Structures are given as C-alpha cells and as structure tokens.
Amino acid sequence: MANAIKDIQNTIIIGGGPAAVLAALRLHRSNSISPVLYEIRPKPTTLGGAIGIPANGLRLLNQLGLYEECVAKSALTSKLVLHALNGCVMGEMDMADWSEKQTGFGYLRIRRTDLMDVLLAAAERENIPIHFGKVLTAIEEKDGRVLVQFADGTTDSADFLLGCDGIHSSVRKLYVDPDVTPEYTGIANMFSLIPAGHDLTTASESGPIANLNATLTSDGLFAISPTTPASDLLYWFFSREVPLPASDHGRDGWEATGKTEVDRCKTTLLQLLGEEKSEWVDMLRQLVQRTETVKFYPIYKLPTGRPWFRGRCLIIGDAAHAMPPHASQGVSMALEDVFLLSTLLKSEHLALDQGLAAYVTKRKLRTDAMLKKAERNGTVRKQTSPWRVRANELAISGGLWLYKTTGLERLGIGQRDLAYDVETEKF
Ligand SMILES: Cc1cc2nc3c(=O)[nH]c(=O)nc-3n(C[C@H](O)[C@H](O)[C@H](O)COP(=O)(O)OP(=O)(O)OC[C@H]3O[C@@H](n4cnc5c(N)ncnc54)[C@H](O)[C@@H]3O)c2cc1C
C-alpha cells in the first residue's frame, strides 16, 4: 500500500498514444516503476496528420534517447514563409532560431504514425506490455490500490493509475472529473498528406516545400509543410471556422458536417486561389488538384481550472489539458507532464495527495499559458473579408520586418516558452 509518493511501484496506464507510451518509458527507466498499458483501439491507429514538436519537447525526447530516431523520420525546419494570395512573399521568420540557440534543439514536424512507430518500438525493446482493444468500464480504489475493469470481463490493479486516454478520456469521465465536457473551438481542420512529385519539390527556388508555408484567405488559413527529411511527403491543412452542427451534437452530426466540408474543401480552396497566376499559387493549385483524400477534424479543447487527480488516479496529456494544435504543443506538453511526474515520484518526503496537488499547480501554470498562445495563434483562422485579409497580411509583413530590424528577434520574443526546461522544477 502506497500512501507516500516514493512507495509507488507499479502503475496502470490507460491509453496507447504519445502521453501513455512516453510515461511508460520514463517511469520504467527513471523511477523503476512497472507500467502496463491498456489502449482502446484494436491496434495502433493509422489516423492523424503531422505533429510539430518545438525545443521544449525535443529536449525531452533527447533525454529519452529518441530524438535521433524521430529526426530520421521528420522534417527539421522552423522557417515560416508567409505568402499573399497573389503569390508574393509577405515575410519570413524563423519560429525557433532563438530557442535553438538556448537549447540546442530546433523544431520538427513528424507524421503522428511515424512518431508512434518510434515510441512503440522503444516500448517493445523494454518489454513494456501494451494491451490493445481494452474498453475501460470501471475504476475503484480499495485498500490503497486502484482496481480497473474492462468490457471483456478482465480486471487489473496497481498502486497508481495514469489516465493518458486523450481528450475524450474515460478515466476523467468515469472517475476523476465526470462533469467536464470538451468544448468545440469553432475551428475545424481539413488536411491531407501527399507525396511531393518532382514538379512540386522544385516549384520555387525560394524552396516553398522545404519550410512551413502559409497563406491567409478570407475563409481561413492554408498551410503546407514537409514531414520527412527528404521533403518527399507534404502535409497541407486548411483551418477554418465551421459551425457546430445544429441538428445533432453527437458523432453523427459531425460525420455529416465532416463529409460536406470534405466534399467542399477542394472546390473552396480552388475558388479562394482565384485566377491568380504566380509560381506559388500555381503550385497550390496543383497540390489541391492532386489530393485524393482529405480528412476532417473539428478542434475541441478542455476548459481550464478542473481537477486532474482523484485519490491515486492522475490524468495527463490531452486527457487533462487538450488544447488547439495552433501552438504545436500537444506532444511537448505531454512530455513535460511525464518528466515532471517522474521528478515528483522521486520525492522522498511527500504524501501522495500533497505531491499530486503540487504537480498539478506547477503544470497548470504552463498548460494555461500554452492554451492562451494556441488561441492567439488561432485568430487568423477566422472568416473575414478580403480587405481584412489584405490588412492582416500587411500587418504581419510589417510586424515581421520590425521584429528583424529592431532586434526583437535576438530577445527571443515569442520563443521564450520553448526554452523552458521542466527538469529544473523541484518538489
Ligand atoms: C487518432 C489521432 C490523430 C491525431 N492527429 C493529430 C494531428 O494530426 N496533429 C496534431 O497536432 N495532433 C493530433 N492528435 C493529437 C495529439 O496526438 C495529442 O495532442 C498529443 O500527442 C498528446 O497525446 P495524448 O497521448 O495525450 O493524446 P492522444 O494522442 O489523443 O492519445 C490518446 C490515446 O488514448 C486512446 N484512448 C482513448 N480513449 C481510451 C480509453 N477509454 N481507453 C483506452 N485508451 C483510450 C486513444 O486511442 C489514443 O491512442 C491526434 C490524436 C489522435 C488520437
């Protein structure tokens, strides 16, 4: 029975995504804790687009010895090029040059499936058990143990339980905070991953495909990024306002909306590009025309100020603080959670409830700040008039020019939170 933090010896982890596998690896190696994972899906998912990971997360992936493996599957590039709808370049900025100087790590973009391949291979090397197809039905605590039940009739128990089961977390719903519901942000993403043919990769000598490229439109933000070291696989997304389905707030309503949006997406994008003739716009047109499958996902977030633990159950990652992806912090926040938890679990003097409360206080400061940043970045995705787009383009272009010429670039404005090192935190 573990009433002190230091007595925890084993943990059940619900989920099999990044937060779950990262937690298992870290706690196994650094805290000598035996984890067992239970994932709801019957096998690793092939869903998902590409995920950005900045320096605060890369530093921690490196600590886990997984940085090089991720780099080998991803595009390491932090330059953002902003193109006007008429094709001219409005400005460029490096989103991670300052943080790279501070930490030694830049910014990478990797397919979620490639990231999961790296993580699952590492878990397999360490013989960490992952059970797939497990539907959690109940959680209870008895005599200092957490007991879980699954729909197939199986059960398990441990000193501790980590809920790493994403934004629609069952651990949260069944036990930690049943009253909270994720909130729709009003923005949905449509995206696709497509091979870059020779014509696309050589489309411009300024290298549109080697960097993150974005174009503001009156309907939302259109962006393209490479996701592989050779830039031979491109990730494009169109992020725009989509109203909550009025007739049905459940999955069916979204399925119908998603289908309509996806059907409309290519036509809308081609219309937004209009008749403009430029190297950049021609390349966008080709990219859209060549796309066969477009995926749709509405972006939800969790309200802040809610409980993250109850008894010996703690939720981390998206289960606790899902936020829009516009600050590229989903995986990095999960990594920071995992490393701070690992530090906490080494504490010699704290009782379990005291320690978990201290952990939550520290993490909320950070995740609340990142949520605000993501929401600020989300504003350019809102519907607006063509003249407002032009005004935004000019404002951003002027801002980028000022940022460079006045030396703000050297002060790390906008990048300071990427140099944060969660391992400096103490309990
Ligand atoms: C299919 C999928 C695709 C995604 N694609 C993108 C993307 O393209 N870009 C981006 O920025 N972010 C994406 N995300 C979100 C991103 O992965 C997370 O923000 C981030 O990695 C934090 O990871 P997490 O492990 O906390 O949550 P998630 O990545 O959501 O992982 C949660 C895991 O728990 C599992 N799970 C859910 N419910 C249960 C349950 N009741 N019992 C057991 N297991 C359960 C899920 O199947 C999943 O494997 C995606 C998430 C998912 C699930």
Side-chain angles (χ1 to χ4, degrees):
M1 181 163 132
N3 282 323
I5 285 285
K6 66 178 170 51
D7 296 334
I8 294 172
Q9 289 175 357
N10 46 51
T11 181
I12 290 169
I13 298 183
I14 304 295
V21 184
L22 289 162
L25 290 169
R26 178 69 181 176
L27 301 190
H28 186 229
R29 286 183 198 169
S30 299
N31 302 84
S32 303
I33 285 176
S34 308
V36 182
L37 281 72
Y38 294 96
E39 158 65 40
I40 197 166
R41 291 177 196 263
K43 56 182 190 205
T45 178
T46 52
L47 293 173
I51 290 188
I53 313 181
N56 56 317
L58 293 181
R59 186 207 292 266
L60 303 177
L61 272 182
N62 191 51
Q63 291 288 69
L64 288 171
L66 301 173
Y67 174 71
E68 295 300 338
E69 276 179 76
C70 288
V71 168
K73 289 175 181 280
S74 61
L76 246 190
T77 166
S78 54
K79 192 158 119 187
L80 167 70
V81 185
L82 182 70
H83 303 259
L85 257 182
N86 64 11
C88 75
V89 173
M90 303 296 296
E92 295 184 357
M93 83 177 281
D94 196 310
M95 300 178 297
D97 50 350
W98 184 87
S99 53
E100 185 165 7
K101 278 190 200 113
Q102 309 302 310
T103 64
F105 299 99
Y107 177 96
L108 67 72
R109 192 169 284 275
I110 185 167
R111 269 190 299 181
R112 189 179 184 279
T113 46
D114 283 340
L115 174 67
M116 286 312 303
D117 285 349
V118 170
L119 300 184
L120 291 171
E124 194 174 339
R125 286 196 294 272
E126 297 189 26
N127 296 318
I128 293 173
I130 306 184
H131 303 283
F132 287 91
K134 302 297 280 192
V135 180
L136 182 70
T137 53
I139 301 175
E140 68 170 314
E141 289 189 40
K142 216 172 174 181
D143 304 327
R145 302 276 293 173
V146 193
L147 315 174
V148 291
Q149 280 177 34
F150 297 98
D152 59 6
T154 55
T155 59
D156 196 0
S157 71
D159 297 331
F160 194 59
L161 181 142
L162 266 183
C164 304
D165 45 350
I167 187 162
H168 302 291
S169 168
S170 293
V171 174
R172 196 183 64 231
K173 273 188 266 184
L174 288 171
Y175 197 70
V176 175
D177 185 15
D179 296 333
V180 75
T181 29
E183 294 168 356
Y184 177 51
T185 60
I187 306 280
N189 271 11
M190 277 131 274
F191 70 87
S192 190
L193 283 159
I194 73 161
H198 177 72
D199 48 340
L200 290 181
T201 46
T202 56
S204 160
E205 59 182 20
S206 62
I209 311 296
N211 307 302
L212 174 62
N213 295 268
T215 293
L216 302 178
T217 77
S218 52
D219 221 33
L221 176 83
F222 188 25
I224 303 174
S225 164
T227 61
T228 50
S231 294
D232 51 4
L233 189 73
L234 300 178
Y235 171 62
W236 71 252
F237 67 87
F238 184 40
S239 201
R240 66 189 294 219
E241 280 185 289
V242 175
L244 194 66
S247 55
D248 185 345
H249 290 229
R251 197 179 285 263
D252 295 347
W254 273 120
E255 267 173 22
T257 305
K259 191 174 171 342
T260 318
E261 288 294 327
V262 163
D263 290 346
R264 252 189 11 199
C265 182
K266 283 173 69 168
T267 321
T268 310
L269 278 170
L270 290 172
Q271 273 166 1
L272 286 167
L273 297 176
E275 299 299 312
E276 290 291 349
K277 282 265 158 235
S278 72
E279 191 179 47
W280 168 246
V281 177
D282 287 346
M283 199 279 296
L284 291 186
R285 228 177 255 120
Q286 275 183 47
L287 188 79
V288 173
Q289 275 157 349
R290 191 185 289 183
T291 300
E292 282 171 14
T293 319
V294 181
K295 302 272 189 218
F296 171 87
Y297 76 92
I299 298 172
Y300 280 79
K301 65 172 184 174
L302 281 169
T304 55
R306 305 295 309 186
W308 286 0
F309 75 94
R310 176 177 162 196
R312 34 193 81 244
C313 296
L314 172 72
I315 49 175
I316 67 168
D318 276 14
H321 46 66
M323 59 183 73
H326 320 317
S328 296
Q329 283 291 341
V331 169
S332 297
M333 286 298 102
L335 273 157
E336 288 184 7
D337 288 353
V338 163
F339 274 72
L340 189 68
L341 179 64
S342 170
T343 306
L344 171 71
L345 293 176
K346 288 177 190 156
S347 154
E348 289 290 324
H349 60 282
L350 287 173
L352 190 64
D353 54 349
Q354 252 184 327
L356 292 177
Y359 161 92
V360 168
T361 304
K362 281 181 190 286
R363 286 307 294 144
K364 282 190 174 176
L365 282 177
R366 187 85 180 133
T367 55
D368 286 358
M370 287 304 175
L371 170 64
K372 286 202 182 102
K373 185 174 182 175
E375 290 184 325
R376 272 197 309 276
N377 293 350
T379 52
V380 288
R381 286 140 165 99
K382 296 204 167 144
Q383 221 163 28
T384 187
S385 60
W387 70 265
R388 185 80 214 192
V389 172
R390 187 77 192 127
N392 281 346
E393 280 173 357
L394 291 172
I396 293 174
S397 166
L400 291 176
W401 180 80
L402 268 181
Y403 188 67
K404 276 196 177 134
T405 50
T406 56
L408 287 177
E409 201 177 14
R410 287 195 299 277
L411 296 177
I413 309 286
Q415 291 182 37
R416 290 187 167 267
D417 45 16
L418 309 184
Y420 167 77
D421 180 0
V422 72
E423 290 190 279
T424 59
E425 298 284 355
K426 307 255 179 308
F427 288 97

